[in-house]
Amino acid sequence: MYRILVADDEPIERLVIDKKIKAFFPDQAEVVLAENGIQAVKLFFEKDCQIAILDIEMPGMNGLDAAAEIKKESPHSSVVFLTAFDEFNYAKRAIEIRALDYLLKPGSDEDLVNVLEEAFNICDRYGSGVSTVDRAPIARPHDDENDTPPNVFVGQVQEYIDAHYKEDIALLDLAGVFGYSDVYFCKLFKQNFGKNFITYLNEYRMDKAKELLANPAINIKDVSALAGYRDANYFTRVFKRMVGKTPSEYRIGVMGI
């Protein structure tokens, strides 16, 4: 059972996220609710949580400070921020946190599910509270200079994903490559692609997996790695949710067997 802390000073926001998590992952996740940053830090450790979904603007202690406290004691825990576009003045501070992703309000159910499945995968692969390898913060992000035309930005990002989708890439990797803080890059990505990075990457990998499954010469066990997923069980779970069939069922349908 994965334990997820959800912290937001708005009761309705807390309940909405809580309800969605329980609806999508009824037998996989236990949700702990907090109404401010101070309470979030306290409950995260008291309840031995592995994942924290934190609003940024909260009284007493904001989400960034709460995340910093959590990371100090549990440096590899998965932290996801809840934020709105008008809060991107926090971008310079957020670069130090090394969050898994940012859910932009109002977020979609698909974005939430994809982010949490990635967090679950991290827990499964590395153990409770252990995340992917830390990357060094990128120096001097040019968050105040969006001088790249949208079509150029999209082309550059797509080119990078084309070359690296088989690797363990995350939003912070792309942010570093393009010289932005994580939060600001998240804003640009959402504006230009209409979805968050993890959702886009999963959809991209699913398309690759479908192409591979259409080739009977490729073993289904190898499709997972070739599509960019280390864990075959995680790949199967994501594939079935997004495609509606298991990889084996999809191949049977494609081959007309």
Side-chain angles (χ1 to χ4, degrees):
M1 182 72 73
Y2 305 105
R3 289 173 299 280
I4 306 168
L5 176 92
V6 176
D8 197 304
D9 61 321
E10 293 290 339
I12 293 178
E13 293 280 358
R14 289 197 305 273
L15 293 177
V16 166
I17 298 297
D18 178 42
K19 184 177 180 179
K20 287 182 179 181
I21 293 173
K22 290 176 178 175
F24 286 113
F25 307 103
D27 302 318
Q28 293 178 269
E30 175 184 342
V31 181
V32 177
L33 299 178
E35 60 187 38
N36 57 59
I38 295 174
Q39 189 179 61
V41 175
K42 179 174 180 291
L43 291 176
F44 186 89
F45 294 109
E46 281 186 359
K47 302 297 184 180
D48 193 25
C49 296
Q50 301 133 310
I51 303 158
I53 300 178
L54 306 171
D55 185 21
I56 289 185
E57 281 199 349
M58 292 186 289
M61 176 185 287
N62 65 37
L64 292 168
D65 291 336
E69 289 295 316
I70 289 171
K71 285 286 193 177
K72 183 169 65 176
E73 297 298 325
S74 183
H76 302 293
S77 297
S78 295
V79 172
V80 178
F81 284 119
L82 288 167
T83 187
F85 284 159
D86 60 358
E87 293 168 353
F88 278 95
N89 57 306
Y90 289 117
K92 298 282 196 304
R93 175 76 172 85
I95 194 173
E96 303 171 3
I97 304 300
R98 319 316 298 157
L100 174 62
D101 209 336
Y102 301 83
L103 298 179
L104 303 179
K105 297 180 179 179
S108 69
D109 291 351
E110 185 179 21
D111 286 348
L112 176 64
V113 170
N114 277 295
V115 168
L116 287 178
E117 282 187 335
E118 179 63 18
F120 297 164
N121 182 44
I122 287 168
C123 291
D124 293 342
R125 284 169 50 191
Y126 298 96
S128 177
V130 179
S131 183
T132 51
V133 179
D134 282 338
R135 283 86 166 178
I138 303 300
R140 296 177 299 174
H142 52 81
D143 292 350
D144 297 326
E145 300 179 21
N146 184 14
D147 52 2
T148 303
N151 62 320
V152 176
F153 176 82
V154 170
Q156 290 174 338
V157 170
Q158 289 177 331
E159 183 178 354
Y160 184 89
I161 293 174
D162 287 342
H164 299 278
Y165 73 91
K166 293 181 183 179
E167 305 168 14
D168 286 334
I169 58 174
L171 179 142
L172 59 86
D173 296 314
L174 273 77
V177 167
F178 293 100
Y180 293 106
S181 75
D182 304 348
V183 178
Y184 193 77
F185 182 82
C186 179
K187 173 185 177 181
L188 292 180
F189 195 96
K190 183 79 171 183
Q191 286 178 336
N192 285 280
F193 288 88
K195 59 194 69 177
N196 79 345
F197 171 72
I198 289 179
T199 295
Y200 180 88
L201 182 61
N202 272 337
E203 291 178 354
Y204 184 96
R205 286 171 167 170
M206 286 300 108
D207 288 340
K208 293 295 182 181
K210 290 176 184 178
E211 293 177 8
L212 294 165
L213 289 167
N215 184 348
I218 303 176
N219 191 296
I220 290 181
K221 292 182 179 179
D222 296 329
V223 171
S224 173
L226 291 172
Y229 295 93
R230 283 193 193 179
D231 189 295
N233 292 328
Y234 174 58
F235 163 67
T236 298
R237 187 169 73 232
V238 174
F239 190 95
K240 185 172 184 179
R241 177 180 62 79
M242 297 184 71
V243 180
K245 301 177 181 179
T246 65
S248 297
E249 292 169 343
Y250 181 84
R251 169 166 280 180
I252 290 173
V254 171
M255 302 301 297
I257 301 174

